[in-house]
Amino acid sequence: MDFRENDEQRALRVAVASLAAKYGHEYWVAKARSGEKTTELWAEAGRLGYLGVAVPEEYGGGGGGITELSIVCEELAAGGCPLLLLVVSPAIAATVIAKSGTPEQRRAWLPGFADGSVRMSFAITEPDAGSNSHRITTTARPDGDGWRLSGSKVFISGVDETDTTLVVSRLADARTGKLRPAMFLVPNDAPGVEYRPIPMEFTSPERQFTMFFDEAALPAESLVGGEDAGLGALFAGLNPERITVAAYACGIGRYAVARGAAYAGSRKVWDGTIGSHQAIAHPLAKSHIEVDLARLATRRAAWAYDQDDPATGEYANSAKYAAAEAAIGAVDAAVQAHGGNGMTSEYGVGTLWGAVRAARIAPVSREMILNFVAQHSLGLDRSY
Ligand SMILES: Cc1cc2nc3c(=O)[nH]c(=O)nc-3n(C[C@H](O)[C@H](O)[C@H](O)COP(=O)(O)OP(=O)(O)OC[C@H]3O[C@@H](n4cnc5c(N)ncnc54)[C@H](O)[C@@H]3O)c2cc1C
């Protein structure tokens, strides 16, 4: 692996950072407070090609990989505009369709992902099957030419901003009758689909929803990859999800360290600045190192994914773990450096507390990553 980014990747980083700077954290917080969406930012990022960097060129995308998409996620977050919709729509949904969709599904959806005009939510979590996705009960059954979907999902991000949700469910195998995983493209306004916002303690323009499917009627072509796609289709999206959440957290960590250092370097209540006290400088310096290490881990995971490396799963888990922990530490250090101002909306660091805490929980929690590492990397007995 080459640690240097190539010229195109560096240019992408600079360009996305400049877009993020144009909007800034105040914009993101104002949208969160007013209940509005970051529509202008999304549309401009789409027009500039940033949302479609990983979509294959033949469908109008940039032809890059998760490495490029991670750069977009990280730089928007580092500019104070972390967007979860980047994770669910271009990273998961577009990747699943590009890798596992039928040729018709690729033609129908990928050009819209390339320019950002398609936005798609992703739904796997269920009320009674959070960390244990083997336990999901949302089920589809054949009905005439199409399908009927029943069940419910929880914590689904951005349903009010998307038209369609990629829903992980179960489907009875036509030959054996056994239930197996299958994914469906479900229009959010299909008859039998309802969704309600969940009140969350999380400053963000993006909201989470409970979704209900009551015998929702779906056309035949809504089954991703057709009857035989199976588990591979789902796995195509899970590592990009972890890697881009890691990039999102790294970006927030960078933003927090920069804000903390700027404030500590200018605030004076004694003879020297607040930053001249090691009690304030060291946590910021430690966070700088930890965020930097998490960025390396994220880059390794993205590189491995783009090479189809079998170690991608372990690398993606490590990166997500390291990035969430580093970002939580960075926001905490930045809040402390700001004193009381760290808790104000005006200084824009306390506003990120929910975002970094969410990164420790979703899409896979810190504890489930440690379970994975204990079992698969260390060879210990499965604990659950
Ligand atoms: C802001 C936000 C956005 C989200 N967006 C989406 C989305 O768009 N789509 C979607 O499908 N989901 C989404 N989620 C859901 C998220 O993926 C889940 O919250 C997460 O997978 C954990 O599931 P749970 O909340 O049911 O926790 P639970 O599974 O109930 O776990 C509760 C706690 O117990 C721990 N735990 C569980 N099992 C074990 C074990 N075996 N060993 C040790 N500890 C264990 C967990 O780590 C956790 O700390 C989102 C969540 C949040 C907070």
Side-chain angles (χ1 to χ4, degrees):
M1 172 181 165
D2 187 342
F3 286 97
R4 286 164 309 177
E5 288 177 342
N6 64 33
D7 290 347
E8 280 180 12
Q9 290 165 342
R10 276 199 295 272
L12 176 66
R13 211 174 258 293
V14 171
V16 179
S18 126
L19 176 68
K22 178 175 160 189
Y23 286 87
H25 190 58
E26 291 76 13
Y27 163 85
W28 186 88
V29 173
K31 293 287 181 186
R33 299 262 188 260
S34 67
E36 291 171 56
K37 305 294 158 204
T38 53
T39 315
E40 310 81 8
L41 171 57
W42 184 274
E44 193 166 351
R47 255 195 326 275
L48 293 168
Y50 305 154
L51 303 175
V53 283
V55 173
E57 278 175 341
E58 58 182 304
Y59 300 102
I66 294 303
T67 302
E68 283 73 19
L69 193 54
S70 298
I71 290 174
V72 176
C73 290
E74 184 189 329
E75 290 304 325
L76 282 179
C81 299
L83 294 184
L84 280 177
L85 210 57
L86 278 173
V87 172
V88 290
S89 191
I92 309 178
T95 305
V96 165
I97 293 172
K99 293 221 164 184
S100 302
T102 61
E104 296 74 30
Q105 286 166 342
R106 287 189 200 130
R107 278 195 297 275
W109 293 100
L110 292 179
F113 281 115
D115 64 16
S117 57
V118 164
R119 286 183 283 187
M120 203 178 273
S121 297
F122 173 71
I124 183 167
T125 310
E126 296 191 1
D128 295 324
S131 303
N132 187 0
S133 45
H134 297 289
R135 223 173 140 183
I136 64 168
T137 55
T138 297
T139 306
R141 64 175 176 81
D143 180 48
D145 285 344
W147 315 97
R148 292 272 176 178
L149 184 72
S150 292
S152 65
K153 298 284 177 183
V154 70
F155 298 124
I156 309 311
S157 296
V159 183
D160 56 345
E161 297 185 67
T162 61
D163 298 322
T164 307
T165 300
L166 180 62
V167 178
V168 182
S169 65
R170 296 189 171 280
L171 175 66
D173 189 286
R175 289 176 290 271
T176 63
K178 275 180 72 176
L179 289 175
R180 61 175 178 77
M183 280 189 285
F184 289 87
L185 295 158
V186 181
N188 296 340
D189 61 358
V193 178
E194 272 184 41
Y195 55 91
R196 286 187 212 131
I198 303 172
M200 302 281 285
E201 298 296 334
F202 174 22
T203 304
S204 169
E206 295 164 317
R207 298 202 286 171
Q208 280 65 46
F209 293 82
T210 306
M211 298 188 84
F212 305 93
F213 310 105
D214 181 10
E215 290 278 291
L218 304 175
E221 62 272 16
S222 59
L223 176 59
V224 176
E227 292 266 3
D228 296 321
L231 258 188
L234 173 58
F235 286 140
L238 295 185
N239 284 325
E241 179 180 36
R242 286 165 200 196
I243 297 165
T244 49
V245 167
Y248 161 100
C250 288
I252 299 175
R254 277 173 53 200
Y255 171 87
V257 170
R259 294 299 291 255
Y263 188 86
S266 59
R267 169 94 172 145
K268 272 192 174 179
V269 288
W270 310 95
D271 289 343
T273 61
I274 284 293
S276 67
H277 300 281
Q278 289 181 339
I280 293 297
H282 279 188
L284 290 168
K286 178 169 171 273
S287 288
H288 175 75
I289 292 170
E290 287 169 355
V291 170
D292 202 35
L293 293 173
R295 292 179 71 207
L296 274 179
T298 305
R299 190 156 153 63
R300 176 180 72 162
W303 173 85
Y305 182 85
D306 291 337
Q307 308 297 314
D308 226 357
D309 188 297
T312 303
E314 183 173 353
Y315 293 166
N317 274 321
S318 296
K320 211 289 293 189
Y321 177 95
E325 298 308 307
I328 288 172
V331 170
D332 193 49
V335 167
Q336 199 64 20
H338 279 76
N341 281 332
M343 305 294 286
T344 63
S345 306
E346 184 190 347
Y347 281 83
V349 281
T351 43
L352 287 165
W353 188 245
V356 292
R357 271 320 258 104
R360 186 186 268 168
I361 295 166
V364 56
S365 69
R366 171 182 62 179
E367 292 72 28
M368 292 310 289
I369 292 177
L370 294 175
N371 283 338
F372 174 92
V373 170
Q375 188 185 340
H376 296 281
S377 312
L378 307 183
L380 298 176
D381 286 343
R382 187 182 156 113
S383 62
Y384 57 100

